[in-house]
Amino acid sequence: MILLETSADAEDPANIPKYTKLIGAIKWLGVKRLGKKIMPILFGQSFLKDKSRKAEYKQWLGYLNQNDRIGAVRATKGVIERQGTYDKLSLIKTPTLIIVGDEDVATPYKKAQRLHFAVAGSKLAVIKGAGHSSTVETPKQVNDVIEQFLNDSQGLDNAS
């Protein structure tokens, strides 16, 4: 199993007012008017500040801006209303890789580390220079980590 930029906890109560405010802004203004404010939640500073990736930034901002109000509101509500599953993590018995970007503000390292400590035998990989969209920001690093994990896991399957 691979867990990418995620948490098993309910949303931090300290974040709920910010997300509630975001929902209100999306309802009134739409996603397009907020896209540039949402990008730093989804992408790390390395990507956002890299002038050589300006075209990619514009492309992803365009994708973000195409989201409709209803879908964006529902997605944001999903974040703040989700129930935690942390207490069930000890039931996981399959090889597990947890991936987090070192610049992820939506699901920071501490949350990934908490998952790692709760899932017995899991591996934790930190992707340098990546935020919450590491597969876009640093695809080679992510693919290399996944490939190594799959190769190591295949060896585990053959040993049993």
Side-chain angles (χ1 to χ4, degrees):
M1 174 169 50
I2 300 171
L3 302 174
L4 184 63
E5 299 150 352
T6 193
S7 171
D9 294 309
E11 186 58 39
D12 183 342
N15 292 337
I16 292 175
K18 292 184 281 186
Y19 283 122
T20 302
K21 185 177 175 182
L22 179 60
I23 288 170
I26 291 169
K27 284 180 179 178
W28 284 100
L29 303 172
V31 178
K32 190 171 186 176
R33 302 255 320 263
L34 299 168
K36 288 184 179 179
K37 295 202 180 282
I38 297 171
M39 288 291 284
I41 298 169
L42 300 176
F43 292 90
Q45 290 300 307
S46 294
F47 176 83
L48 295 172
K49 292 180 178 180
D50 187 342
K51 292 181 191 318
S52 72
R53 299 186 80 178
K54 191 170 187 162
E56 283 179 89
Y57 171 90
K58 287 182 179 181
Q59 179 182 23
W60 285 98
L61 179 60
Y63 293 149
L64 177 62
N65 288 341
Q66 291 174 20
N67 284 279
D68 68 27
R69 291 173 201 230
I70 295 170
V73 166
R74 286 180 179 163
T76 308
K77 280 185 176 181
V79 169
I80 62 175
E81 294 175 357
R82 74 176 182 266
Q83 300 297 310
T85 57
Y86 184 82
D87 59 333
K88 294 178 174 51
L89 295 178
S90 64
L91 300 173
I92 297 173
K93 303 299 181 206
T94 189
T96 303
L97 171 64
I98 299 158
I99 300 174
V100 64
D102 68 346
E103 298 176 10
D104 190 339
V105 296
T107 310
Y109 173 79
K110 284 184 179 181
K111 289 185 178 187
Q113 185 182 47
R114 183 167 153 79
L115 276 174
H116 172 56
F117 290 150
V119 178
S122 65
K123 305 288 185 205
L124 176 60
V126 179
I127 306 299
K128 302 290 183 206
H132 198 62
S133 302
S134 63
T135 56
V136 172
E137 298 167 271
T138 55
K140 182 172 180 350
Q141 278 189 68
V142 173
N143 287 337
D144 288 349
V145 165
I146 291 173
E147 182 177 17
Q148 183 64 51
F149 172 73
L150 293 174
N151 287 337
D152 292 348
S153 296
Q154 186 176 27
L156 292 174
D157 288 344
N158 292 336
S160 33

